[in-house]
């Protein structure tokens, strides 16, 4: 499954769907590891692994299901992250 190469708007759509599933499900024992796995596949590197662990913990603890972890991660990645400047040498 290659989720990290999706466009940012497709990731936003998936994030909203995954957060809705997390809020509706009563099968947290199944959804928690799935959400952690999906999060780590959507975002590469250390950032994705840390977000996967946070997503797993948020889903496994009762009462924390209302936190939209996928959407927060999307915002941190695409809205609040500073763009890297490229310097062209002449």
């Amino acid at each position: 499954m290659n989720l990290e190469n999706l466009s940012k708007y497709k990731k936003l759509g998936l994030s909203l769907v995954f957060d809705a599933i997390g809020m509706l499900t009563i099968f947290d024992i199944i959804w928690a590891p799935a959400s952690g796995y999906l999060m780590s596949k959507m975002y590469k590197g250390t950032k994705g692994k840390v977000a996967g662990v946070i997503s797993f913990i948020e889903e496994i603890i009762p009462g924390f299901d209302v936190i939209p972890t996928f959407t927060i991660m999307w915002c941190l990645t695409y809205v609040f992250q500073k763009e890297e400047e490229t310097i062209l040498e002449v």
Side-chain angles (χ1 to χ4, degrees):
M1 187 181 316
N2 196 358
L3 296 175
E4 66 185 39
N5 293 330
L6 294 174
S7 73
K8 68 179 182 178
Y9 296 111
K10 286 183 182 180
K11 282 186 182 181
L12 176 59
L14 278 176
S15 295
L16 294 170
V17 168
F18 292 156
D19 283 334
I21 291 169
M23 288 179 192
L24 295 176
T25 187
I26 57 170
F27 303 107
D28 287 337
I29 204 83
I30 296 168
W31 178 246
S35 78
Y37 174 77
L38 291 169
M39 182 74 82
S40 67
K41 291 299 178 186
M42 283 180 73
Y43 301 98
K44 60 184 174 182
T46 306
K47 180 171 60 171
K49 291 176 185 173
V50 170
V53 170
I54 291 171
S55 180
F56 173 79
I57 292 170
E58 178 259 328
E59 289 295 337
I60 202 74
I61 298 174
F64 283 83
D65 292 343
V66 296
I67 300 171
T69 312
F70 283 92
T71 306
I72 291 170
M73 182 62 182
W74 185 88
C75 288
L76 290 174
T77 302
Y78 294 108
V79 177
F80 299 117
Q81 181 180 19
K82 294 180 182 178
E83 293 185 26
E84 296 179 10
E85 294 181 24
T86 56
I87 300 173
L88 299 174
E89 293 185 25
V90 182

